Amino acid sequence: NRQSRIRNFSIIAHIDHGKSTLADRILEETSALTKREMKAQMLDAMDLERERGITIKLNAVQLAYKAKDGETYTFHLIDTPGHVDFTYEVSRSLAACEGALLIVDAAQGIEAQTLANVYLALENDLEIIPVINKIDLPNAEPERVRQEIEDVIGLDASDSVLASAKAGIGIKDILEQIVEKVPSPQGDPNAPLKALIFDSMYDPYRGVVAYIRIVEGTVRVGDKIKMMATDKTFEVIELGVSTPKIVMRDELSVGDVGFLTASIKNVKDVHVGDTITNAIKPAAEQLPGYRKMNPMVYCGLYPIDSSKYNDLREALERLELNDSALQYEPETSEALGFGFRCGFLGLLHMEIIQERIEREFGIDLITTAPSVIYQIETVDGESHRVDNPSKMPEKKEIESIEEPFVKATIMTPNDFVGPVMELCQGKRGDFIDMVYLSENRVNIIYHLPLSEIVYDFFDQLKSSTKGYASLDYEFLGNRPSKLVKMDILLNNEKIDALSLIVHQDFAYERGKAIVEKLKELIPRQQFEVPIQAAIGQKIIARSTIKALRKNVLAKCYGGDISRKRKLLEKQKEGKKRMKTVGRVEVPQEAFMAVLRIN
Ligand code: GTP
């Protein structure tokens, strides 16, 4: 029967090991599209540019594969987001599969995200098929990598495919292994409906589009359905699959992977990880593993042109429709005026949202340095969740402060154990463990404050290991810390948007570094500008921006006019990202200065 010929799988890999390239090859091989239709990296629909044109994310495609045994199999290839910020989404995507292709770069070998993804796949009971990719590279060492997969992950890699996604080597073998090794979906098509929502998006015409995997039962157009987490009911308007052309269906049954629309206007009614059931004949319980996502990183977003405040609000409303993990609320800053404090899953998530606001909505933003959430108990017995350093209560009112910690796993070649430990130590890390994965590869485990990771940890890790180390982390919980608020004064005025929270023992160092950095970043003004760092009333560091001496145009007197115009334009360009704070013109980079100091 049809169900026994369905194979649902994902591709998992460390970044750059060739996931998208292999997905393209698989699409070609299963001739879902003619070559002409086949745009490179079809599955990468979240590409900021391309996204505007495409209303259905190509995150799950149905493919037909004629195997050596003469049968035609239905494959569902489910895409997973590739970054730690989205671990939960990765896990839900994997929960929609029975198998996973594990791509390992034949030159790089196993890296942190390889392992992290393997753990997620194992948690979801998936059959893992190792594929050693990029064997065409001159420095490929497929045998060493094969051994590494066996030693480090403990998978049998003896018959793993040696492939080159780029050169099209080994693709048929991979497809045959999917047929042989990935189990077909189990489940009863006549049981009450259980459909896992593994992704969703908002389409202005059809409302929320839910991407689902049918685990039990059957869903038909016109059915009354219920979201088990929110108890909301809807009527199914459309069902379909993407091949990756959109094909509408009257029903989806056990093992099918496709999308559903039901005139759902609010994205908050559809949670990734929730179960859809039939409202009239409901399932007794929902599928396991539903978890609500909470933001971990906050920052302020302010329009440079304050008349764009309402546009910014509209932009956030629109983005929220697509992204249920995004949070925002209005906030005001003495320095920056009216804006929003926004919560994100992590730094990448934050950057994506900022970029989309600027590109898609044309609003230039000032963003303040990211902050984690501090849990503060005050002497009056109240507790506060502080997501903005400038909102931290006065020192004398504080009883205790806790900050979020993460367990960081850093995978590195032996040679860099020293620099990695030095870096973690400098970031207030607690050494936990060091595990040799193979002769030349070590996993170093530290407990670190999330706030230190949010700053430039990743860049520093890369530069101190020549790019060889890789990082994965998970949230541990809150822990008490000796933290203080540090204020920054420009021209003797306290600038709330520059306040930050630092560890007592690092306060002087940080203060000194930050005033020096600000001196570099803030251009000279017509007058001298003192920069000071203060804790409470006490100034702990200071520097001075000297006054501008010459008019920039002075040099051009008598020179040709085009040169003069160019200079003026250059100045204007520079001004675009400036905000006047008090009497001082401050560029965007200055608000991020704290991210750029060691
Ligand atoms: P992210 O989408 O960034 O996570 O990366 P990915 O894992 O999807 O990797 P992608 O397919 O974008 O490939 C990364 C780089 O490796 C690209 O420059 C590819 O052209 C290259 N690449 C992929 N497969 C092969 C291969 O078999 N051989 C060689 N030499 N290069 C490859």
Side-chain angles (χ1 to χ4, degrees):
N1 69 352
R2 180 171 171 273
Q3 194 175 327
S4 68
R5 290 194 305 276
I6 296 179
R7 298 291 182 273
N8 294 332
F9 65 98
S10 284
I11 305 176
I12 56 179
H14 189 79
I15 198 152
D16 274 351
H17 282 199
K19 191 174 93 169
S20 310
T21 311
L22 181 66
D24 288 349
R25 283 296 99 78
I26 291 178
L27 255 67
E28 272 176 19
E29 198 62 43
T30 51
S31 59
L33 294 172
T34 62
K35 284 239 165 69
R36 217 162 47 116
E37 289 171 308
M38 173 81 207
K39 271 202 281 166
Q41 316 235 332
M42 199 72 202
L43 291 178
D44 251 355
M46 200 43 201
D47 184 308
L48 286 173
E49 288 289 41
R50 217 174 298 158
E51 211 218 356
R52 259 170 280 177
I54 295 176
T55 45
I56 296 285
K57 270 203 267 177
L58 300 172
N59 53 358
V61 285
Q62 187 177 79
L63 308 165
Y65 175 61
K66 188 144 198 256
K68 281 196 187 128
D69 65 9
E71 299 276 4
T72 299
Y73 290 81
T74 302
F75 283 180
H76 294 120
L77 167 53
I78 297 165
D79 198 18
T80 54
H83 191 273
V84 275
D85 283 6
F86 305 109
T87 301
Y88 176 68
E89 275 87 349
V90 177
S91 182
R92 291 307 91 198
S93 298
L94 294 179
C97 306
E98 277 81 21
L101 294 177
L102 172 69
I103 313 297
V104 185
D105 185 316
Q108 303 288 333
I110 290 173
E111 298 193 62
Q113 290 289 309
T114 314
L115 262 198
N117 282 313
V118 164
Y119 293 145
L120 291 176
L122 291 174
E123 262 171 43
N124 284 294
D125 284 330
L126 302 193
E127 180 67 34
I128 299 176
I129 301 177
V131 173
I132 298 170
N133 189 34
K134 306 199 189 181
I135 55 159
D136 60 299
L137 287 177
N139 57 339
E141 296 181 83
E143 283 316 313
R144 182 184 66 79
V145 171
R146 195 201 295 272
Q147 196 58 46
E148 208 172 69
I149 294 173
E150 302 215 331
D151 295 347
V152 175
I153 306 179
L155 285 174
D156 176 6
S158 55
D159 63 348
S160 52
V161 182
L162 302 186
S164 166
K166 196 170 179 182
I169 300 166
I171 312 301
K172 270 255 155 58
D173 294 339
I174 293 171
L175 297 172
E176 284 299 319
Q177 289 207 358
I178 292 168
V179 169
E180 272 166 45
K181 293 187 176 168
V182 176
S184 62
Q186 304 301 305
D188 175 0
N190 300 312
L193 177 68
K194 280 187 186 176
L196 171 73
I197 304 173
F198 63 88
D199 199 357
S200 73
M201 63 149 327
Y202 186 80
D203 179 301
Y205 302 106
R206 310 142 101 186
V208 178
V209 180
Y211 294 89
I212 54 172
R213 152 75 198 259
I214 313 291
V215 179
E216 294 277 359
T218 303
V219 59
R220 296 178 181 84
V221 170
D223 279 359
K224 285 242 176 324
I225 51 162
K226 185 170 82 171
M227 306 291 164
M228 295 188 82
T230 55
D231 246 355
K232 294 263 168 69
T233 58
F234 301 94
E235 187 182 310
V236 178
I237 308 272
E238 290 174 328
L239 294 169
V241 296
S242 133
T243 68
K245 285 180 201 151
I246 301 304
V247 181
M248 293 302 174
R249 289 281 154 82
D250 297 330
E251 64 170 50
L252 294 175
S253 192
V254 171
D256 279 335
V257 177
F259 63 85
L260 172 155
T261 71
S263 291
I264 305 169
K265 289 295 166 225
N266 188 347
V267 79
K268 304 251 144 137
D269 290 336
V270 180
H271 298 279
V272 168
D274 193 10
T275 305
I276 298 179
T277 193
N278 189 297
I280 295 164
K281 194 178 136 193
E285 56 201 25
Q286 65 199 87
L287 296 162
Y290 172 65
R291 184 153 58 85
K292 200 172 171 310
M293 294 299 291
N294 289 315
M296 303 283 283
V297 177
Y298 287 76
C299 81
L301 299 184
Y302 292 85
I304 291 187
D305 173 356
S306 29
S307 69
K308 293 269 176 112
Y309 174 77
N310 281 322
D311 297 352
L312 177 56
R313 177 201 301 281
E314 274 167 32
L316 286 165
E317 277 167 7
R318 288 279 297 281
L319 290 173
E320 190 193 19
L321 288 175
N322 251 329
D323 184 341
S324 54
L326 170 68
Q327 286 187 3
Y328 63 92
E329 58 181 56
E331 96 175 345
T332 39
S333 151
E334 280 161 33
L336 299 177
F338 294 102
F340 295 90
R341 175 108 324 218
C342 303
F344 308 94
L345 297 174
L347 273 197
L348 179 74
H349 188 208
M350 180 174 115
E351 280 162 21
I352 290 174
I353 296 289
Q354 282 166 13
E355 189 161 335
R356 292 188 63 184
I357 291 174
E358 300 199 330
R359 283 225 236 164
E360 294 173 28
F361 300 90
I363 305 170
D364 286 329
L365 294 174
I366 291 278
T367 53
T368 64
S371 165
V372 300
I373 294 201
Y374 297 94
Q375 188 69 44
I376 297 180
E377 310 290 324
T378 37
V379 284
D380 58 10
E382 300 268 342
S383 49
H384 312 259
R385 282 161 49 84
V386 174
D387 60 18
N388 179 345
S390 74
K391 302 272 159 64
M392 185 151 136
E394 288 297 316
K395 194 168 179 220
K396 60 177 190 302
E397 290 168 22
I398 295 174
E399 182 72 43
S400 67
I401 306 181
E402 289 189 350
E403 66 176 326
F405 268 69
V406 298
K407 175 182 165 192
T409 306
I410 297 157
M411 192 181 289
T412 176
N414 281 353
D415 304 351
F416 300 109
V417 168
V420 168
M421 294 184 69
E422 205 174 304
L423 172 65
C424 291
Q425 226 68 42
K427 299 286 185 187
R428 304 193 276 130
D430 273 338
F431 175 77
I432 302 299
D433 201 2
M434 180 153 90
V435 185
Y436 278 82
L437 298 171
S438 67
E439 233 166 80
N440 185 34
R441 214 168 270 263
V442 192
N443 244 351
I444 304 172
I445 297 167
Y446 265 87
H447 289 177
L448 281 158
L450 175 64
S451 67
E452 299 287 351
I453 296 225
V454 163
Y455 293 168
D456 61 347
F457 185 83
F458 193 63
D459 291 341
Q460 284 192 42
L461 180 66
K462 284 287 172 198
S463 64
S464 59
T465 62
K466 303 208 169 94
Y468 280 111
S470 49
L471 164 76
D472 187 54
Y473 63 87
E474 60 185 284
F475 181 58
L476 279 177
N478 283 331
R479 294 194 184 165
S481 268
K482 284 194 223 141
L483 300 167
V484 291
K485 179 169 83 159
M486 185 158 82
D487 293 314
I488 304 293
L489 291 80
L490 283 185
N491 206 20
N492 301 311
E493 259 183 80
K494 195 199 281 181
I495 308 300
D496 58 356
L498 288 173
S499 294
L500 63 157
I501 292 177
V502 295
H503 194 272
Q504 245 172 0
D505 302 347
F506 294 76
Y508 281 89
E509 246 172 74
R510 276 261 156 100
K512 249 177 78 184
I514 208 163
V515 295
E516 285 308 319
K517 194 80 202 173
L518 285 172
K519 181 179 164 186
E520 244 173 66
L521 293 172
I522 298 175
R524 289 185 177 195
Q525 322 270 322
Q526 302 295 345
F527 48 92
E528 195 176 273
V529 181
I531 309 174
Q532 294 158 308
I535 290 175
Q537 298 303 319
K538 194 167 155 209
I539 304 292
I540 59 164
R542 104 169 244 149
S543 66
T544 306
I545 307 171
K546 296 242 174 64
L548 200 58
R549 257 167 288 156
K550 277 194 225 119
N551 184 321
V552 261
L553 288 180
K555 319 186 184 102
C556 304
Y557 279 143
D560 80 85
I561 185 77
S562 75
R563 167 119 194 269
K564 205 182 280 182
R565 193 180 307 129
K566 232 186 219 157
L567 260 180
L568 282 172
E569 267 163 22
K570 219 169 173 183
Q571 272 191 325
K572 221 164 83 197
E573 187 74 14
K575 274 214 177 97
K576 226 173 69 190
R577 297 300 212 101
M578 295 269 189
K579 188 89 183 174
T580 309
V581 175
R583 291 172 59 213
V584 184
E585 296 228 298
V586 183
Q588 159 71 62
E589 300 81 60
F591 295 96
M592 294 291 188
V594 62
L595 302 189
R596 311 244 222 107
I597 55 173
N598 299 332

